[in-house]
Amino acid sequence: MTQNNPLLNAFEMPPFSKLKTEHFKPAIKEAIEKAKREINEITQQNNPTFENTIAALDHAGYDLERISQILFNLNSAETNEDIQQITQEVSPWLSDFQNDIMTNAELFEAVKQVYEQKDSFNLNPEQQTLLDKHYKSFVRNGANLNKDKQAKLREIDNKLSTLSLQFGQHVLAETNAYQLHVEHKSELKGLPENVLESAADLAKNQDKKGYIFTLQYPSYVPFMKYCENRKLRKILALAFGKRGFQNNDNNNEEIVKSIVKLRYERAQLLGFKSHAEYILEERMAKSPKNVNDFLDDLFSKAKPAAQKEFDELSQFAQEIDQIDQLQKWDIAFYAEKLKQQKFNLDDELLKPYFPLNQVIDGVFLIAHKLYGLSFKEVENIDKYHKDVKTYKVHDEHQNFKAIFYADFHPRAGKRDGAWMTLYKNQFKTKAKNERPQVSIVCNFSKPTKTQPSLLTFNEVTTLFHEFGHALHGMLGNTQYRSLSGPSVYWDFVELPSQLLENWCYEKEALDLFAKHYKSGEPIPAKYVEQIKAAANFNEGMQTLRQLSFGLLDMAWHTTNPKEIESVKDFEKAAFEPTRLVDDVKENCMSTAFSHIFQGGYSAGYYSYKWAEVLDADAFEAFKNKGIFDTETAKAFKTHILEKGGTEEPMILYKRFRGQEPNPEALLKRAGLLKP
């Protein structure tokens, strides 16, 4: 079997073209057994040291990690029923394996011995961090519990891994199941021609007349922003908001309640008051109180601004269309119209200057100017889908740095949104510096027969955001793979991504790539000024929206959930302080809130705003010396991007910046605090 299974033979890059779904289960079984043998070798050491115990433990399970990364990345980007079934089956195996490690008394005793004697080992900061990380991981995962409680913890973790997968599969199924079929173009006034063309192509592919719109972002977002037909906007908005909240097999209400109950029970078992308290012990924020204080402080500044903006938007809608009361399906539409009136700025005017290929070239050029990187597209790297682009990345000295995968367009097997992931982490051995394999996945409109894939400005910033994460992965230069690249505290991980978005608003950067796809004309200076002027448009409302998600996340994970009967009622109460429009009884966000119920953002959604404080302060350093200042870029690369999670984030940040971040930088940039 080994000879015929590409996952059980040595591979440098994922052998996608050779993979069959039946390869995964035997490969993961074998990799688990190999990892167990590696763990057993560690426990046989008579004299535990940092190298034979902590460093060895960090390397144990390497094959299992790589095979699992391939499976779970495919489950997000190119899934099918077979892959979904396999992930459901192997997730409990992986949970059991992790629990076997964390409850291995001999292994914990060896780690504990090294931890208690750490002063005698003359460890450098990275080694000290790795030792602390492994020791805390054991304690935080039940090593000090008795056998009965360890068994209970194992049961909880198995259930959570399965429920999380089911949650995501339900959201994907709901997203793929819905279509809005409109036969007559007369009902679609306001929609740009390229959006209509894509919708017509989709209908034609299904042998239907007219136009088909879906809940995929490239279809849903422009429809809500431009379609003048309020009735159709309502239909599509209700469909989007119903995902996981309908009376069918994809309903996520009981799954949400089960997940939060199990997380709470797990935290209590480990001696924490709540899941949030457990999570935040290993975050920059440290405690739920600090997070809530942070969110409340932003709320106090954003709510008045948001209410003022909402009142202005309501008056505008009343004046032009006699809308008495704005609803959920009106906000994006009238906000876009008001933005056009105020700033003479229309996404459709901007899109011709942002063809996807040029934006890719632009972000590559910016990475070259800042960090000396070059990207060469290659065709000899195996791909999991024909849409994926592959690149080899080198530095200014032609040293190989990374393999880069880029997957930009939506399809039925891909979940919505955008994310960065890894197929291989960076780390060092005695022989070489193993370089990472990094991927970004997005959902941008496909090219049509008449024009290339054209990005909205928001999509441009999304690409830059994910590429910022990718740079964190590509430039990792640490000894140990569990500390490399984005393996940092969750409220620090968004700094590189959100920082890079700032270049999208600078003329000096836009001039590098923002050129009309037909004429080659650079983006007019007035458009750049309008983009910058509009950057803070409805910033109060946008901030309030993000805060509402953060507050909902904290509500789910700081409360004793045993008394929660209705997901909808609980969510409605959590949203009440930030609510601007009437609640929609048919909709529920929690049942499709993949960030916190499928991704890694439970008790961590606040991280986006937290990292904005860091990125606003960090970008001031670039602005002070020039956005392409090589000295500042070198400092950011040396102290942040290369260092990963080797030391406390604030220590690394202060080395780069020379000071702690100033929260006023964010408030000034957002227009919530006057300079």
Side-chain angles (χ1 to χ4, degrees):
M1 183 64 185
T2 301
Q3 291 180 341
N4 298 324
N5 191 331
L7 295 173
L8 290 174
N9 294 311
F11 59 88
E12 174 56 26
M13 286 170 285
F16 293 117
S17 63
K18 299 176 183 176
L19 284 180
K20 297 179 181 177
T21 51
E22 59 262 31
H23 289 146
F24 282 107
K25 284 166 63 176
I28 287 176
K29 276 186 178 178
E30 175 56 36
I32 287 174
E33 291 306 311
K34 180 181 179 183
K36 286 180 177 178
R37 293 193 294 271
E38 293 167 343
I39 296 295
N40 191 51
E41 287 179 17
I42 297 171
T43 62
Q44 300 305 309
Q45 300 290 340
N46 292 323
N47 182 30
T49 66
F50 177 86
E51 285 299 327
N52 69 25
T53 301
I54 305 304
L57 180 58
D58 197 65
H59 186 72
Y62 175 63
D63 290 349
L64 179 60
E65 177 182 87
R66 293 214 64 196
I67 295 167
S68 299
Q69 283 173 325
I70 294 171
L71 173 61
F72 285 91
N73 286 339
L74 286 177
N75 191 48
S76 293
E78 184 60 12
T79 196
N80 55 48
E81 288 185 3
D82 289 340
I83 288 178
Q84 290 178 4
Q85 180 62 36
I86 289 166
T87 57
Q88 290 273 10
E89 290 182 45
V90 305
S91 287
W93 302 353
L94 296 170
S95 289
D96 276 338
F97 170 69
Q98 286 301 321
N99 277 307
D100 285 342
I101 293 176
M102 292 300 143
T103 56
N104 185 322
E106 290 180 323
L107 182 60
F108 179 51
E109 183 57 34
V111 171
K112 192 175 180 181
Q113 281 188 44
V114 178
Y115 184 78
E116 290 174 346
Q117 300 171 33
K118 59 183 175 182
D119 292 343
S120 66
F121 289 116
N122 194 29
L123 304 178
N124 63 35
E126 182 174 350
Q127 292 170 325
Q128 289 178 27
T129 299
L130 187 71
L131 174 56
D132 288 345
K133 180 175 181 175
H134 280 300
Y135 178 75
K136 284 182 180 178
S137 182
F138 277 93
V139 174
R140 286 168 54 80
N141 285 282
N144 285 327
L145 299 178
N146 63 38
K147 294 294 183 184
D148 288 344
K149 289 184 176 179
Q150 286 182 351
K152 184 64 178 175
L153 193 71
R154 181 186 297 267
E155 180 187 346
I156 289 171
D157 286 343
N158 280 342
K159 287 179 180 177
L160 282 170
S161 65
T162 301
L163 288 169
S164 177
L165 283 169
Q166 288 175 347
F167 181 96
Q169 289 167 7
H170 289 177
V171 175
L172 180 62
E174 294 274 84
T175 302
N176 287 338
Y178 183 83
Q179 292 184 340
L180 175 63
H181 182 206
V182 182
E183 291 196 11
H184 304 294
K185 189 175 182 179
S186 60
E187 295 185 69
L188 300 171
K189 289 179 181 176
L191 283 176
E193 282 301 318
N194 65 301
V195 176
L196 290 169
E197 186 178 0
S198 295
D201 287 346
L202 188 56
K204 187 177 180 181
N205 291 339
Q206 298 183 25
D207 295 323
K208 293 181 179 179
K209 295 180 180 179
Y211 309 85
I212 286 178
F213 301 91
T214 72
L215 302 181
Q216 300 280 3
Y217 282 2
S219 178
Y220 177 76
V221 172
F223 193 95
M224 299 308 296
K225 190 181 285 188
Y226 296 110
C227 183
E228 294 178 12
N229 190 323
R230 194 184 190 206
K231 179 181 176 182
L232 291 182
R233 290 203 311 270
K234 178 179 179 180
I235 290 171
L236 200 62
L238 290 178
F240 189 86
K242 285 180 182 177
R243 293 178 304 161
F245 192 57
Q246 301 180 81
N247 186 22
N248 60 22
D249 290 341
N250 295 320
N251 186 286
N252 273 337
E253 291 173 87
E254 291 304 316
I255 289 179
V256 166
K257 288 194 286 185
S258 295
I259 287 174
V260 294
K261 285 176 183 176
L262 288 167
R263 286 173 176 172
Y264 178 79
E265 189 177 353
R266 187 183 196 281
Q268 293 262 305
L269 201 60
L270 291 166
F272 294 89
K273 292 179 182 177
S274 67
H275 178 70
E277 188 181 82
Y278 169 79
I279 290 293
L280 293 167
E281 184 185 56
E282 292 291 285
R283 299 287 190 268
M284 291 180 77
K286 298 303 180 188
S287 73
K289 182 182 184 304
N290 289 343
V291 171
N292 284 322
D293 286 349
F294 171 73
L295 295 175
D296 288 345
D297 183 54
L298 278 178
F299 175 81
S300 68
K301 297 176 174 67
K303 182 61 186 286
Q307 190 63 59
K308 184 178 179 181
E309 292 163 0
F310 181 76
D311 292 344
E312 181 185 26
L313 195 63
S314 298
Q315 183 179 346
F316 175 73
Q318 170 66 34
E319 289 173 356
I320 67 170
D321 282 336
Q322 293 76 53
I323 300 296
D324 293 329
Q325 192 168 10
L326 285 177
Q327 301 292 345
K328 171 184 175 180
W329 43 88
D330 298 319
I331 301 297
F333 179 76
Y334 288 105
E336 181 63 24
K337 281 192 172 302
L338 182 57
K339 186 173 75 170
Q340 290 178 27
Q341 184 187 89
K342 276 191 161 190
F343 305 103
N344 194 25
L345 186 67
D346 180 355
D347 263 340
E348 293 306 307
L349 285 175
L350 297 177
K351 282 173 71 173
Y353 296 94
F354 296 122
L356 175 58
N357 287 342
Q358 283 177 205
V359 179
I360 296 169
D361 291 343
V363 81
F364 286 171
L365 183 53
I366 288 168
H368 178 73
K369 291 172 76 70
L370 290 171
Y371 307 119
L373 298 178
S374 59
F375 297 78
K376 182 180 180 182
E377 187 169 6
V378 289
E379 298 295 337
N380 61 344
I381 293 175
D382 220 340
K383 306 174 182 182
Y384 57 86
H385 191 275
K386 61 182 177 61
D387 286 350
V388 177
K389 295 175 177 287
T390 50
Y391 303 84
K392 286 188 175 179
V393 187
H394 293 81
D395 66 13
E396 66 269 38
H397 305 297
Q398 293 308 302
N399 297 311
F400 172 66
K401 300 302 288 185
I403 296 294
F404 177 51
Y405 299 83
D407 180 0
F408 290 120
H409 302 300
R411 52 184 175 268
K414 183 196 285 191
R415 68 177 172 89
D416 59 15
W419 63 94
M420 169 267 187
T421 188
L422 290 149
Y423 286 99
K424 178 185 176 183
N425 296 57
Q426 177 272 331
F427 63 97
K428 295 176 184 176
T429 65
K430 290 180 180 178
K432 65 183 292 194
N433 188 335
E434 296 281 350
R435 299 311 304 167
Q437 296 165 12
V438 181
S439 173
I440 63 171
V441 187
C442 304
N443 280 279
F444 302 141
S445 297
K446 287 187 172 184
T448 66
K449 293 176 183 176
T450 61
Q451 63 185 28
S453 174
L454 300 177
L455 304 190
T456 65
F457 184 72
N458 185 58
E459 288 175 327
V460 174
T461 61
T462 295
L463 195 155
F464 271 66
H465 179 102
E466 299 308 331
F467 192 77
H469 282 309
L471 288 173
H472 206 180
M474 292 175 199
L475 290 170
N477 193 32
T478 65
Q479 188 72 40
Y480 307 105
R481 78 178 198 274
S482 69
L483 300 178
S484 183
S487 300
V488 299
Y489 280 3
W490 210 257
D491 45 11
F492 193 59
V493 76
E494 296 295 337
L495 169 60
S497 54
Q498 291 181 187
L499 177 67
L500 197 65
E501 290 183 44
N502 288 281
W503 274 262
C504 299
Y505 296 90
E506 300 295 325
K507 187 176 188 304
E508 189 179 351
L510 288 170
D511 283 346
L512 298 174
F513 66 93
K515 298 178 174 65
H516 199 286
Y517 78 98
K518 286 183 177 177
S519 67
E521 291 287 322
I523 189 168
K526 68 174 183 177
Y527 285 3
V528 178
E529 289 306 310
Q530 288 163 345
I531 287 171
K532 294 184 77 166
N536 289 338
F537 175 67
N538 281 353
E539 182 63 32
M541 290 173 63
Q542 293 297 329
T543 299
L544 197 66
R545 181 174 181 269
Q546 285 294 97
L547 292 176
S548 73
F549 299 160
L551 290 167
L552 176 63
D553 173 31
M554 292 302 290
W556 278 120
H557 295 115
T558 55
T559 308
N560 181 343
K562 293 178 181 177
E563 304 302 319
I564 298 173
E565 294 184 2
S566 166
V567 171
K568 173 66 176 180
D569 289 347
F570 183 84
E571 173 181 295
K572 187 177 177 182
F575 276 157
E576 186 58 33
T578 58
R579 185 175 61 82
L580 293 172
V581 297
D582 288 343
D583 175 68
V584 179
K585 65 179 182 179
E586 303 98 323
N587 284 184
C588 183
M589 183 195 170
S590 295
T591 55
F593 199 172
S594 297
H595 274 78
I596 68 171
F597 292 119
Q598 182 191 11
Y601 280 86
S602 64
Y605 199 87
Y606 76 92
S607 301
Y608 285 105
K609 299 310 290 185
W610 186 277
E612 277 190 50
V613 171
L614 298 174
D615 98 68
D617 183 74
F619 193 60
E620 279 199 351
F622 282 94
K623 291 280 283 184
N624 289 341
K625 292 188 176 181
I627 64 169
F628 291 116
D629 179 65
T630 53
E631 181 184 336
T632 308
K634 182 180 179 182
F636 191 75
K637 181 175 81 167
T638 301
H639 298 304
I640 306 293
L641 297 176
E642 290 184 345
K643 291 295 185 183
T646 55
E647 293 185 72
E648 283 279 338
M650 192 58 76
I651 292 173
L652 297 175
Y653 188 84
K654 286 165 71 175
R655 284 206 195 115
F656 156 65
R657 192 68 168 98
Q659 62 187 42
E660 290 196 3
N662 180 1
E664 289 192 358
L666 169 63
L667 297 172
K668 287 177 183 175
R669 185 179 70 182
L672 301 176
L673 186 71
K674 300 305 177 187

